[in-house]
Amino acid sequence: MRKLLPLLGHPGGRSAMTCRYRCGDACSHEAPNTSDNAYLGDVVARAMSRRTMLRAGAVIGVAAGASAVGGPLGGGTAHAAPPPSKPGGGPAGKAARGLRFAPVAPNTADAVTVPAGYEQNVVIRWGEPILRGAPRFDPERQSARAQAGQFGYNNDFLALLPLRGERGRQLLVANHEYTNEELMFAGYDPESPTREQVEIAWAAHGLSVVVVEEDRRSGALRPVPRHRLNRRVTATTPFEVTGPAAGSELLRTEADPEGRTVLGTLNDCAGGTTPWGTTLHGEENVDQYFAHTERVTDAEHRRRLERYALRGGATQRQWERFDDRFDVTKEPYEPHRFGWVVELDPYDPESRPRKRTALGRFKHEGAEPRLTPDGRPVVYMGDDERFEYLYKFVSSKRMMRGDSRAAREHNLTLLDEGTLYVAVLSGDSPEEEIDGGGELPEDGEFGGRGTWVPLATGDTSHVPGMSAEEVYVFARLAADRVGATKMDRPEDVEPSPRTGRVYVALTNNSDRGASGKAGPDEANPRTGNKHGQIVEFTERGGNPAADRFTWRLFLVCGDPEQPDSYFGGFPKDQVSPISCPDNVTFDAHGNLWISTDGNALGSHDGLFGVAVSGQRRGEVRQFLTVPTGAETCGPVVRDRRVLVAVQHPGEVDGASVERPASQWPDGGGSHVRPSVVNVWRADGRDIGV
């Protein structure tokens, strides 16, 4: 049995190891946006009145009993939560429908902890075979060929799609954001990776499509290996480049002189599902894979690279030693071929995935579509970096209904023609009412108005001094020029299927109020913003194609006992503490579900449900927590099951294969493995009712 690294009880917050492998230490470097555009923090911190804060009250406690399951089949030690606090004057009656479970208490258990009365199973782990001919996972005998047929590493976004004609089966699609070679390979030497280790990492990136089957007796989900629809997409899979920048000189390389075929996808974070049956995947922190920006002598090219956070010399993984395309001095435009939204048809394993240039290039957290009243898709997108922007794309084509071949072919062109926009926000409270110390404006709410500024439509640029191709490839620079509003790491952006209101997860920004940086404002009401917030906005007339919107802060995350947190006006003594919102989704009842990344409250990350309307608007209830070092990703919330991707378990500073920081999911003596977890009610009824 391996000796456990003495770091169990991880105090919360993202580890330095995670920062190193997932985003290339992005937060330890200066933010690449040096424009003088307004900060959302300079816009938003003006509207949460002292009256609202006092009305919300101080927290006295959290959470009801919970059970934790340490293993894949339901065995393990229970971790009980404290009893629920006495109501403090809030609305009488039950929680919102869909959220009626005993909230899980904040904890540091090395387990997936779920509410009492709920069960769970591990659906699939890193390395499990899904394609024909792929071997069983053997951590001591890994190979690139084996990994290319096995479930990838560090699962993030999940989609669960219907599978007609196969009762009890569904199609699971997963992103594999990044690899951590120190937790994959025994004896790994970061200074001298081998070619085989690098090629295994290439194969562990990308996407997986795998059919899953429900065990009707238990509610568990199991993979169906070797199914004809199962598929792996890796860092070397050919992708088609489509849309107005396809073929641009800015996308051409020696290996692809036409600029229309890219090998692979990297750092796919969150994503979305389309009404026409495909999935979308956002390429995020791709800068970390490309080496030697410091050697670039062309000043304009270097400026453009640095605006996308490319910097320095050799990379952490040193892929440039094994493939020239990762060295910008040898293939200067290869980085331009990453940072896009990818569209995949999971029902056609022979189809080529496509990189949609009309949606712009930046650090895409995800991409979630919504249809206009006349049937055109609108895709909302966040650029996940400090002081970056919020975007949307409005297609010029209408979706065709039905499953005919003509409809499918037409719908696969919907994201290639339309207009790309960026958001400009303004607050509605006087600046003098904001003092940076929690003093709140008189109107009782953080809020204001916004405008969608067009950047490009097809081959037409709306940005002076930039061609349309330049706008798409360098969307950040285009947004700088039109005065877009800087935000605190805009991550997942999703419209409510029920109300049409759009919710933006702003994870955090420790630079808020630092020397030489923007201070608190109406959208970002705190200095050193450790906990993040959720912005809610409404398009004019409820039309997602509108060019104007109104916005307000729905949640200001953090410790309910502190005056700088806010929960939609709900009494703060009756909510679960929440920090660093990341991915969001909705249940059938219209509740918002939030997964967290980097919880700065001293407990593990988790999944939370919150009512967005009615008497209980703002009541946050924690549904689960994840193991030591892990992040909550995915999430999929259905009537009778919740799926989460447990990403980077055991990713704690100093951890290694030989000295793991976690024993999840299979207990001592086994590799720590990122996995997908399924949760359901033990009595078989709907979640939270």
Side-chain angles (χ1 to χ4, degrees):
M1 181 175 174
R2 296 181 178 91
K3 184 178 179 182
L4 195 68
L5 186 73
L7 290 175
L8 270 176
H10 180 50
R14 185 188 290 180
S15 72
M17 176 180 274
T18 299
C19 292
R20 188 163 64 249
Y21 280 102
R22 191 172 83 171
C23 60
D25 284 323
C27 290
S28 67
H29 301 282
E30 285 295 314
N33 191 347
T34 59
S35 72
D36 59 1
N37 294 355
Y39 293 81
L40 184 63
D42 301 329
V43 172
V44 181
R46 298 185 188 131
M48 195 177 153
S49 78
R50 181 179 296 277
R51 296 190 304 275
T52 302
M53 284 290 207
L54 293 175
R55 190 164 59 244
V59 72
I60 339 176
V62 197
S67 65
V69 182
L73 298 177
T77 305
H79 299 266
S85 59
K86 183 179 179 180
K94 298 178 180 178
R97 188 169 177 82
L99 302 178
R100 294 171 187 169
F101 49 79
V104 166
N107 65 75
T108 56
D110 188 28
V112 173
T113 305
V114 300
Y118 285 76
E119 297 183 0
Q120 62 174 288
N121 81 294
V122 173
V123 180
I124 190 166
R125 302 160 175 77
W126 162 51
E128 289 193 27
I130 62 174
L131 302 188
R132 292 183 182 277
R136 293 175 61 87
F137 179 67
D138 184 342
E140 308 303 325
R141 293 180 176 81
Q142 298 183 59
S143 70
R145 181 177 180 182
Q147 178 64 81
Q150 297 166 333
F151 193 70
Y153 197 78
N154 268 342
N155 33 224
D156 195 301
F157 168 74
L158 301 174
L160 194 62
L161 306 174
L163 193 56
R164 293 180 181 175
E166 298 192 34
R167 187 178 179 187
R169 290 182 172 182
Q170 298 176 82
L171 201 56
L172 177 68
V173 184
N175 285 359
H176 301 293
E177 186 175 5
Y178 71 100
T179 50
N180 183 333
E181 287 77 358
E182 291 185 60
L183 300 184
M184 294 172 67
F185 307 120
Y188 179 72
D189 180 1
E191 302 301 318
S192 186
T194 67
R195 172 172 284 278
E196 184 69 12
Q197 288 169 336
V198 167
E199 291 183 352
I200 292 169
W202 291 344
H205 276 71
L207 317 171
S208 288
V209 180
V210 57
V211 173
V212 293
E213 186 169 37
E214 180 178 5
D215 182 337
R216 290 181 172 273
R217 293 171 298 178
S218 70
L221 286 180
R222 310 285 184 199
V224 180
R226 300 180 297 279
H227 192 281
R228 62 181 178 82
L229 293 181
N230 290 0
R231 185 177 186 183
R232 278 303 322 283
V233 173
T234 74
T236 58
T237 300
F239 280 69
E240 180 183 352
V241 182
T242 70
S248 167
E249 183 178 350
L250 295 167
L251 300 181
R252 297 174 189 169
T253 64
E254 184 176 345
D256 177 30
E258 295 186 358
R260 294 181 179 273
T261 303
V262 175
L263 291 184
T265 184
L266 299 172
N267 217 259
D268 292 271
C269 193
T273 57
T274 70
W276 53 93
T278 63
T279 54
L280 304 180
H281 310 268
E283 297 181 320
E284 192 182 25
N285 294 295
V286 300
D287 52 288
Q288 63 178 305
Y289 300 94
F290 297 97
H292 304 314
T293 299
E294 65 184 11
R295 298 180 188 174
V296 174
T297 57
D298 182 291
E300 178 63 10
H301 182 48
R302 182 164 177 168
R303 181 182 74 89
R304 288 169 164 178
L305 291 174
E306 290 176 345
R307 183 63 184 87
Y308 279 79
L310 275 78
R311 58 177 75 84
T315 64
Q316 171 71 26
R317 295 178 180 83
Q318 300 184 53
W319 289 1
E320 65 272 16
R321 291 173 48 193
F322 304 96
D323 190 333
D324 286 350
R325 68 186 177 122
F326 297 108
D327 185 335
V328 297
T329 66
K330 297 176 180 177
E331 283 292 0
Y333 291 166
E334 187 72 21
H336 301 168
R337 293 147 65 85
F338 295 86
W340 302 100
V341 170
V342 169
E343 184 170 13
L344 177 76
D345 183 351
Y347 295 101
D348 182 1
E350 302 303 319
S351 63
R352 181 171 285 193
R354 305 176 188 194
K355 298 199 178 188
R356 301 299 195 185
T357 63
L359 277 63
R361 174 175 160 262
F362 43 88
K363 288 190 175 184
H364 287 276
E365 170 70 20
E368 189 64 33
R370 173 188 176 194
L371 294 178
T372 63
D374 63 354
R376 293 174 294 136
V378 174
V379 182
Y380 295 97
M381 302 168 287
D383 186 350
D384 182 12
E385 194 145 41
R386 292 163 296 162
F387 306 123
E388 292 299 342
Y389 307 129
L390 173 66
Y391 299 81
K392 80 172 178 182
F393 168 82
V394 180
S395 179
S396 60
K397 292 184 175 182
R398 299 180 183 181
M399 188 185 88
M400 286 180 63
R401 302 287 179 179
D403 292 328
S404 69
R405 181 175 179 179
R408 291 191 65 79
E409 289 179 353
H410 169 80
N411 291 339
L412 285 171
T413 69
L414 293 175
L415 301 184
D416 285 337
E417 297 180 23
T419 301
L420 179 65
Y421 297 86
V422 71
V424 175
L425 287 81
S426 62
D428 59 9
S429 300
E431 246 182 80
E432 59 269 20
E433 292 186 13
I434 306 300
D435 66 3
E439 294 295 324
L440 306 169
E442 288 299 317
D443 63 3
E445 185 176 67
F446 297 103
R449 300 182 181 276
T451 301
W452 291 110
V453 179
L455 299 177
T457 303
D459 294 331
T460 301
S461 169
H462 303 299
V463 181
M466 296 183 74
S467 68
E469 289 179 358
E470 289 173 326
V471 168
Y472 296 116
V473 177
F474 307 117
R476 283 182 169 181
L477 290 167
D480 292 345
R481 291 198 180 191
V482 302
T485 302
K486 295 181 178 180
M487 303 175 76
D488 284 355
R489 288 189 58 205
E491 298 220 36
D492 213 359
V493 187
E494 296 211 18
S496 166
R498 178 167 288 198
T499 67
R501 290 195 297 266
V502 181
Y503 294 80
V504 186
L506 303 179
T507 295
N508 55 34
N509 184 353
S510 58
D511 278 357
R512 174 68 54 195
S515 177
K517 305 291 176 63
D521 60 32
E522 194 159 357
N524 302 281
R526 299 176 286 204
T527 58
N529 180 12
K530 298 188 298 183
H531 301 298
Q533 57 259 23
I534 300 282
V535 176
E536 175 188 73
F537 69 86
T538 303
E539 301 274 25
R540 175 178 282 185
N543 184 354
D547 60 4
R548 298 185 186 277
F549 59 94
T550 56
W551 65 268
R552 57 183 170 177
L553 286 191
F554 172 50
L555 300 179
V556 181
C557 300
D559 185 348
E561 291 187 338
Q562 299 302 314
D564 63 356
S565 60
Y566 172 74
F567 296 85
F570 197 81
K572 293 167 64 175
D573 63 336
Q574 297 175 54
V575 302
S576 297
I578 182 172
S579 173
C580 301
D582 187 344
N583 301 135
V584 295
T585 191
F586 292 89
D587 64 23
H589 309 284
N591 302 305
L592 180 70
W593 289 68
I594 307 165
S595 64
T596 64
D597 168 22
N599 177 9
L601 291 171
S603 54
H604 287 180
D605 280 314
L607 179 66
F608 302 76
V610 54
V612 299
S613 61
Q615 276 192 330
R616 310 196 80 87
R617 173 179 163 87
E619 182 182 19
V620 175
R621 299 169 70 82
Q622 183 157 9
F623 183 74
L624 60 75
T625 57
V626 292
T628 300
E631 171 190 346
T632 322
C633 297
V636 173
V637 181
R638 295 290 175 80
D639 289 345
R640 297 199 171 182
R641 71 178 72 255
V642 171
L643 294 184
V644 293
V646 179
Q647 194 187 72
H648 58 78
E651 199 165 70
V652 172
D653 300 336
S656 65
V657 170
E658 293 80 7
R659 299 193 72 199
S662 171
Q663 298 186 39
W664 192 85
D666 297 316
S670 60
H671 254 56
V672 178
R673 296 164 72 181
S675 305
V676 177
V677 172
N678 167 46
V679 182
W680 67 95
R681 264 177 73 155
D683 62 10
R685 298 178 64 200
D686 285 359
I687 300 290
V689 300

